Amino acid sequence: AQSVAQPEDQVNVAEGNPLTVKCTYSVSGNPYLFWYVQYPNRGLQFLLKYITGDNLVKGSYGFEAEFNKSQTSFHLKKPSALVSDSALYFCAVRDRRGGKLIFGQGTELSVKP
Amino acid sequence: GAVVSQHPSWVICKSGTSVKIECRSLDFQATTMFWYRQFPKQSLMLMATSNEGSKATYEQGVEKDKFLINHASLTLSTLTVTSAHPEDSSFYICSARGGIDDNEQFFGPGTRLTVL
């Protein structure tokens, strides 16, 4: 069965420090990988995706993610966190046959001044 | 990027009434639309997938007679919660896929439904 795991319910980071939000997946073949961010009472905003090519993907708002096929991971990173980055982050995967988007359980990021 | 809108953004209704939520793709044609339900600080639960002009495909455990989905055109899908009850209170999010990049899904801002 296809699944996505975000092992941390919450990540706390001080402003200016680097942040990492972890994601691992279990999907057959080479899936498409996504990160979304959700602010309170809002829909999901697209951050970045991995389709093919360079394992390091750069996205919106200074975020990037690294695809690691051997570890089946797609961790989200940012070199210097901002208080405004505080939100709920979702990792998602989809198989290449055009199937459903499967979401992780979400990680709440809290960035303190 | 592509924009998906939802209307209304929030709705309060009495138990037993029906509520319709609209989802529109504003600047692209959505070949596929998705409806999700989300409880506070939890992940999105896919309710159903719909393709324009055909019946929606519901996920296991989702009552198709309670959550009516219509995808009448390439830019509009509606979710009607029939005979709503307090346990139907939730955040409903639609999503659309289509346009030039069919790999990406675009999400609406969500609709907060409260059933009294």
Side-chain angles (χ1 to χ4, degrees):
Chain A
Q2 301 180 19
S3 64
V4 180
Q6 291 179 242
E8 303 151 316
D9 290 335
Q10 183 153 11
V11 170
N12 298 309
V13 177
E15 187 175 33
N17 283 0
L19 70 88
T20 299
V21 183
K22 295 179 181 176
C23 172
T24 59
Y25 63 91
S26 175
V27 177
S28 58
N30 297 311
Y32 298 135
L33 300 160
F34 303 84
W35 274 102
Y36 292 90
V37 60
Q38 186 181 32
Y39 294 97
N41 294 309
R42 303 293 298 274
L44 271 65
Q45 293 180 33
F46 170 79
L47 279 180
L48 49 81
K49 65 183 176 185
Y50 174 82
I51 302 296
T52 187
D54 194 349
N55 289 343
L56 184 63
V57 179
K58 293 189 182 295
S60 307
Y61 313 119
F63 284 93
E64 57 189 30
E66 186 163 12
F67 170 60
N68 188 316
K69 187 174 183 178
S70 62
Q71 296 184 4
T72 61
S73 67
F74 191 55
H75 301 330
L76 181 70
K77 300 182 180 185
K78 186 172 182 180
S80 178
L82 300 173
V83 173
S84 57
D85 293 330
S86 299
L88 193 54
Y89 289 80
F90 290 101
C91 179
V93 300
R94 182 161 70 89
D95 67 46
R96 290 181 181 260
R97 294 168 294 175
K100 295 176 288 190
L101 202 59
I102 300 169
F103 286 92
Q105 62 267 47
T107 298
E108 186 163 6
L109 173 66
S110 177
V111 182
K112 300 292 186 188
Chain B
V3 179
V4 175
S5 70
Q6 274 183 249
H7 179 81
S9 55
W10 60 270
V11 57
I12 301 173
C13 70
K14 291 182 178 179
S15 187
T17 60
S18 294
V19 175
K20 180 185 282 189
I21 303 170
E22 289 187 351
C23 176
R24 293 180 184 274
S25 57
L26 297 185
D27 50 4
F28 69 102
Q29 293 187 325
T31 50
T32 309
M33 284 188 166
F34 307 84
W35 285 95
Y36 295 86
R37 183 174 180 176
Q38 185 183 31
F39 293 103
K41 298 200 174 182
Q42 292 189 25
S43 190
L44 280 70
M45 181 191 80
L46 180 65
M47 298 174 68
T49 303
S50 73
N51 294 295
E52 184 262 341
S54 61
K55 288 184 179 180
T57 302
Y58 289 81
E59 294 299 300
Q60 193 171 11
V62 178
E63 298 176 61
K64 60 180 67 177
D65 293 331
K66 181 165 188 62
F67 298 100
L68 300 177
I69 291 171
N70 184 277
H71 192 162
S73 75
L74 284 171
T75 59
L76 173 65
S77 176
T78 59
L79 167 67
T80 301
V81 183
T82 61
S83 186
H85 290 285
E87 58 265 28
D88 299 325
S89 299
S90 192
F91 195 52
Y92 293 87
I93 302 175
C94 77
S95 177
R97 203 160 78 199
I100 297 174
D101 185 356
D102 198 44
N103 293 320
E104 200 168 321
Q105 267 181 241
F106 303 95
F107 288 81
T111 297
R112 172 74 59 193
L113 170 64
T114 301
V115 185
L116 302 176

